[in-house]
Amino acid sequence: MTPEAATIPPHFIQQLIDSDLRAGRLGTGGVVTRFPPEPNGYLHIGHAKSIYLNFGMAAEFGGLCRLRFDDTNPLKEETEYVASIESDVCWMLGQPLSEPPRFTSSYFPQIYDYAEQLILNGKAYICDLSNEEIRATRGTLTEPGQESPYRNRDITENLQLFRRMRAGEFADGSRVLRARIDMAAGNINMRDPILYRIRRATHHQTGDTWCIYPTYDFSHCLADAIEGVSHSLCTLEFEDHRPLYDWILDQLGIGNPRPHQTEFSRLSIEYTVLSKRRLNLLVASGRVSGWDDPRMPTIAGLRRRGYTPEALRSFCRHIGISRADNHVEMGLLEHCIRDDLDHRAARVMAVLRPLKVVIENWPNQQVEWLTAPCHPQDPSMGSRQLPMTSEIWIEQDDFRPQAAKDFKRLILGGEVRLRNSYIIRCQEAVTNPVSGAITELRCTYDPKTLGTNPTDRKVRGVIHWVSAQYGRTAEIRLYDRLLTTPGADADGDDAFLALLNPDSLSVLSDCWVEPSLVDATPEQRFQFERVGFFCVDSRDSTPDHLVFNRTVALRDSWTKKDSG
Ligand code: ATP
Ligand code: MG
């Protein structure tokens, strides 16, 4: 944890771990946590919360946190996801894992043995009901379920059938192993839940070794116990599964010391969606360019967008940990990245929507190399050279033929300072005779004004610019919110897709950037002065075709949009 974290009062999980340690409840292993993603998609910012919590608690209390792939469902999982998850976790933590990742699938032999033990103890049975029949006899919140006709099979038969299930003698879905608990339990998860199902599918780790697979509920507590996890931290939707977690460990008498599950609330963020299933739908339907599309709230997407690991960690610190609703504004995430980039991103100039300015009294062909600081407050970041020439680009928005006093930019007959350069005066706006659009400005510069104190001379404002002769063309991608509504609640995939913001991406293809950017490397981050924070796109940018992603605008545009 950083020193900053020390100023935030401890949350309930910190308090719990602290009291467990003080009471000597943890045995010799100390604090052991795990981050257990299912490798069925890329990690999103909700996972970042869980990563920060699990690895953070282990670090804070001198313990150990492991990455464990919860890979019990061979149908939806892929090795691409395994690789991306490990790389995203390390990137976010800013360090390699202290141990190689674990896989629940590597415990399949032990989990199978535990299942046999439950059968031998009379605590599990083979049920021949179909999935639909099991569902239909489960009961409701107000009515108890019905006992399966197979519930009282004798132990030997159960054991034989289970072994034959494993040997592949039965069709998929024809039989399952169920815990024998209580069909009248108030908690539906305790009504003889399924522990194992038959599923002929090649598993990314175990290949075709198994044709039966344990359920999440059965395998999770066992993997925790096998790994000596002390605190099994998960999100609130697992709260109702906790009695089953405890029941399984109690029946088997394993886990010494016993792992305990503690729940906290899931993160959700306005105007985006944190569900791998829905994010997968966006990728599969081609609505985004991939899991790392900069509009995606995935760790890979945020990284490509220009987010730093430090900003993600700062965000996780800000949102805290509790059991209360954790629906936060996008503005908070943006505040964290703006805050981080403000002190580390070098300043450069880029013109997004160019308007040509010809400086009539500038000696033709002459170039003057001006020195500009890379960061106004941090001299250690050095300086860069800016070529000033007779033709430059400015933003279309920075000129109006005439305007009221509060327009702090260029008008006809008015003066502005070019950032890091001279003061210019606009003499004439050349227009296209047909469309009436302004095509070029004719200006003069005052050679006495380089580096003079901006207060010496009253000008309307300071604007950024790029030399037309020396600048580089660039493609700049601007991103807006992914969804048009703050919440992503939608019944069904089509309704969800209808919530997508059609303007979430705008591509500006004839932008100009200062020449120093030609050496920019993938993911390098900058502040385009007066415009925002940008980074070099890691996939599409080349020295011949520079592509930048807008990470975040300089000011919070969300609040403005909401009120206007
Ligand atoms: P999704 O619904 O997006 O598929 P999940 O919960 O199924 O998410 P897992 O791969 O099972 O994803 O999650 C790994 C860990 O991350 C779990 O402990 C889970 O509780 C946690 N996690 C997932 N989503 C969030 C979230 N939005 N906020 C906090 N923790 C989360
Ligand atoms: Mg899941």
Side-chain angles (χ1 to χ4, degrees):
M1 293 275 132
T2 62
E4 197 187 314
T7 61
I8 301 175
H11 54 65
F12 79 103
I13 294 181
Q14 276 168 310
Q15 290 173 7
L16 170 79
I17 297 177
D18 194 46
S19 73
D20 285 346
L21 278 170
R22 281 170 201 277
R25 278 193 285 266
L26 299 188
T28 52
V31 175
V32 181
T33 57
R34 82 287 170 268
F35 170 64
E38 187 182 351
N40 61 348
Y42 279 56
L43 297 180
H44 52 61
I45 179 101
H47 295 112
K49 174 178 180 176
S50 178
I51 294 168
Y52 187 75
L53 174 66
N54 280 293
F55 283 90
M57 290 304 94
E60 185 175 335
F61 293 102
L64 171 71
C65 178
R66 298 192 189 92
L67 168 61
R68 181 212 302 154
F69 291 101
D70 212 337
D71 56 347
T72 56
N73 182 354
L75 295 181
K76 291 188 294 179
E77 299 163 0
E78 285 176 30
T79 43
E80 178 198 346
Y81 299 138
V82 170
S84 75
I85 288 172
E86 183 175 353
S87 122
D88 288 349
V89 169
C90 294
W91 178 78
M92 180 182 157
L93 295 173
Q95 58 188 53
L97 300 175
S98 58
E99 272 192 18
R102 305 267 181 124
F103 292 86
T104 300
S105 57
S106 67
Y107 309 131
F108 282 169
Q110 282 141 288
I111 296 173
Y112 176 86
D113 289 345
Y114 285 129
E116 285 208 350
Q117 203 176 314
L118 281 184
I119 295 174
L120 285 168
N121 296 350
K123 296 296 178 185
Y125 63 97
I126 302 293
C127 179
D128 301 356
L129 295 179
S130 67
N131 262 333
E132 295 71 49
E133 289 165 328
I134 292 177
R135 214 171 299 129
T137 51
R138 196 182 284 150
T140 63
L141 286 175
T142 48
E143 284 168 43
Q146 300 154 36
E147 294 193 349
S148 161
Y150 305 98
R151 197 171 198 265
N152 296 319
R153 267 185 168 143
D154 70 67
I155 290 175
T156 326
E157 188 187 358
N158 278 322
L159 197 58
Q160 267 173 5
L161 286 171
F162 189 50
R163 290 181 176 169
R164 292 176 62 198
M165 258 171 75
R166 180 195 178 163
E169 292 187 26
F170 307 120
D172 284 21
S174 59
R175 292 195 156 92
V176 291
L177 179 72
R178 292 177 76 175
R180 198 165 183 279
I181 311 180
D182 178 5
M183 287 308 289
N187 182 337
I188 295 184
N189 293 305
M190 300 299 274
R191 296 183 189 167
D192 292 9
I194 297 174
L195 306 180
Y196 259 97
R197 41 200 166 19
I198 307 173
R199 191 160 279 178
R200 281 181 183 71
T202 304
H203 188 282
H204 60 98
Q205 297 294 320
T206 59
D208 294 319
T209 309
W210 297 89
C211 65
I212 57 171
Y213 290 94
T215 54
Y216 170 87
D217 280 328
F218 190 47
S219 57
H220 202 88
C221 52
L222 294 178
D224 282 348
I226 291 166
E227 291 183 350
V229 166
S230 60
H231 295 85
S232 184
L233 309 175
C234 63
T235 35
L236 275 168
E237 70 272 22
F238 294 105
E239 185 173 21
D240 290 346
H241 297 242
R242 190 182 346 130
L244 180 54
Y245 183 104
D246 289 335
W247 182 90
I248 294 168
L249 295 183
D250 284 345
Q251 296 307 316
L252 293 166
I254 58 166
N256 185 26
R258 259 284 288 281
H260 286 282
Q261 175 180 310
T262 305
E263 309 85 19
F264 61 95
S265 49
R266 274 179 102 80
L267 169 70
S268 63
I269 302 187
E270 284 185 349
Y271 296 100
T272 190
V273 60
L274 300 184
S275 142
K276 277 183 283 182
R277 210 187 65 75
R278 290 243 148 114
L279 295 173
N280 195 5
L281 175 68
L282 297 182
V283 175
S285 65
R287 303 303 173 101
V288 294
S289 64
W291 285 96
D292 67 349
D293 186 301
R295 289 167 292 181
M296 294 278 272
T298 51
I299 294 182
L302 290 164
R303 175 177 181 176
R304 189 166 160 204
R305 171 98 169 238
Y307 275 74
T308 58
E310 290 81 0
L312 293 194
R313 298 201 294 261
S314 155
F315 174 73
C316 292
R317 244 184 333 268
H318 275 89
I319 58 176
I321 294 290
S322 74
R323 290 172 59 87
D325 180 53
N326 195 205
H327 190 59
V328 308
E329 288 176 15
M330 188 57 98
L332 180 60
L333 187 57
E334 297 201 335
H335 163 79
C336 293
I337 184 63
R338 212 178 270 124
D339 206 43
D340 187 36
L341 291 180
D342 191 39
H343 63 262
R344 67 156 83 199
R347 273 49 173 174
V348 292
M349 291 195 285
V351 171
L352 273 54
R353 296 173 180 87
L355 173 62
K356 174 75 75 71
V357 171
V358 177
I359 302 177
E360 295 181 304
N361 59 338
W362 187 271
N364 205 12
Q365 307 298 329
Q366 181 178 306
V367 49
E368 182 179 351
W369 289 90
L370 307 171
T371 303
C374 291
H375 194 288
Q377 283 95 41
D378 184 357
S380 75
M381 288 178 71
S383 60
R384 64 202 207 264
Q385 296 292 300
L386 292 172
M388 178 67 196
T389 52
S390 60
E391 295 193 355
I392 61 171
W393 299 106
I394 67 167
E395 297 286 351
Q396 290 166 17
D397 270 3
D398 281 341
F399 174 78
R400 280 185 208 161
Q402 60 259 332
K405 270 223 173 65
D406 59 354
F407 182 71
K408 302 265 179 247
R409 301 172 239 175
L410 191 60
I411 61 167
L412 212 47
E415 283 190 337
V416 288
R417 172 174 290 280
L418 296 177
R419 180 127 179 106
N420 302 306
S421 177
Y422 296 92
I423 288 173
I424 58 168
R425 170 184 293 273
C426 181
Q427 309 288 2
E428 185 193 347
V430 181
T431 51
N432 178 315
V434 182
S435 67
I438 297 167
T439 54
E440 186 176 295
L441 301 181
R442 306 222 144 229
C443 298
T444 49
Y445 86 110
D446 181 342
K448 297 187 301 295
T449 53
L450 179 66
T452 47
N453 184 338
T455 55
D456 283 0
R457 172 125 150 217
K458 261 209 150 31
V459 291
R460 280 190 159 245
V462 180
I463 64 172
H464 59 275
W465 57 280
V466 169
S467 158
Q469 281 98 330
Y470 285 81
R472 301 284 171 150
T473 55
E475 173 180 323
I476 295 181
R477 301 175 181 167
L478 306 179
Y479 302 101
D480 202 343
R481 42 178 68 152
L482 185 60
L483 304 182
T484 52
T485 56
D489 327 306
D491 285 334
D493 290 348
D494 289 339
F496 167 68
L497 290 175
L499 300 179
L500 289 180
N501 175 7
D503 302 319
S504 57
L505 167 67
S506 334
V507 178
L508 303 178
S509 48
D510 53 351
C511 311
W512 289 86
V513 298
E514 62 172 70
S516 70
L517 283 174
V518 73
D519 298 324
T521 50
E523 291 193 354
Q524 200 176 344
R525 307 173 184 97
F526 299 95
Q527 184 190 107
F528 289 178
E529 296 192 75
R530 298 180 65 235
V531 183
F533 292 100
F534 289 77
C535 78
V536 179
D537 187 78
S538 53
R539 272 194 195 281
D540 302 335
S541 189
T542 63
D544 294 333
H545 180 74
L546 295 170
V547 180
F548 293 91
N549 296 318
R550 182 171 67 193
T551 312
V552 66
L554 285 187
R555 272 170 290 280
D556 183 355
S557 54
W558 300 79
T559 349
K560 203 173 69 199
K561 266 186 212 161
D562 283 342
S563 57

